[in-house]
Amino acid sequence: MITIRPSRPEDGPRAVDIWRQAVDATHHFLQPEDRAALDALVSSFLPQAPLWLAVDAQDHPLAFMLIDNGHMEALFVDPAARGQGLGAELVRHGLSLHAEMSTDVNEQNAQAVGFYEKMGFRRTGRSAVDGQGRPYPLIHLKYGSA
């Protein structure tokens, strides 16, 4: 049984671990130096961020989502738990809080783009670089009347 709950301070290390494993499994397009820089950035803020967690019956986090002002900043699933509907469950939870939630996804991560479009998100634009100005284009998406 999966439960969605807010993160607690002790969940920080596990969230970083999920992020690292998920990025290593899905973001093969990242250059090693960019992957290292992102790791340092994420490790510094993620443990304190207000996350929504998908946890198993033993309260062990398997996936997380970060929403800021109706914008989903992050959605990551432990690769060992992929395909179980955790990402979709977290997105549905986010949409229950923010009916017209938006997000950005790396253009090179075609599987993620397809996931969001299947969930009902529509493309609203594109940026040639990511949020840190690196050459990883982003697709801007919004749920609802995009």
Side-chain angles (χ1 to χ4, degrees), residues 71-72 102-110 112-114 116-117 121-130 136-142:
H71 183 79
M72 185 188 339
S102 62
T103 194
D104 298 322
V105 64
N106 290 104
E107 185 175 67
Q108 298 99 319
N109 191 347
V113 174
Y116 288 113
E117 290 180 337
F121 285 77
R122 302 289 173 248
R123 295 178 189 222
T124 61
R126 180 185 183 274
S127 297
V129 296
D130 68 10
Y136 303 111
L138 296 176
I139 301 295
H140 308 297
L141 301 159
K142 186 171 182 177

Side-chain angles (χ1 to χ4, degrees), residues 2 4 15 19 22 25 44 65 79 81 85 97 101 123-124 135 140:
I2 298 300
I4 306 294
W19 179 86
S44 70
M65 174 178 61
L97 302 171
M101 190 166 58
R123 295 178 189 222
T124 61
H140 308 297

Side-chain angles (χ1 to χ4, degrees), residues 7-133:
S7 61
R8 300 184 293 250
E10 63 268 22
D11 296 317
R14 176 64 181 141
V16 172
D17 184 49
I18 291 169
W19 179 86
R20 285 179 176 145
Q21 290 181 45
V23 167
D24 289 346
T26 61
H27 289 58
H28 306 288
F29 53 87
L30 291 175
Q31 294 298 311
E33 60 274 11
D34 292 331
R35 168 63 175 80
L38 287 169
D39 192 281
L41 178 69
V42 168
S43 296
S44 70
F45 83 84
L46 193 60
Q48 296 81 33
L51 306 174
W52 287 103
L53 301 176
V55 300
D56 64 15
Q58 291 74 42
D59 200 40
H60 180 71
L62 301 173
F64 71 85
M65 174 178 61
L66 172 60
I67 301 175
D68 183 30
N69 246 358
H71 183 79
M72 185 188 339
E73 297 287 348
L75 176 68
F76 289 93
V77 177
D78 183 324
R82 283 183 66 192
Q84 299 177 22
L86 301 175
E89 193 66 29
L90 282 166
V91 169
R92 283 191 289 272
H93 180 76
L95 290 169
S96 75
L97 302 171
H98 306 280
E100 292 190 8
M101 190 166 58
S102 62
T103 194
D104 298 322
V105 64
N106 290 104
E107 185 175 67
Q108 298 99 319
N109 191 347
Q111 190 174 26
V113 174
F115 165 79
Y116 288 113
E117 290 180 337
K118 183 179 176 185
M119 291 292 302
F121 285 77
R122 302 289 173 248
R123 295 178 189 222
T124 61
R126 180 185 183 274
S127 297
V129 296
D130 68 10
Q132 290 78 41

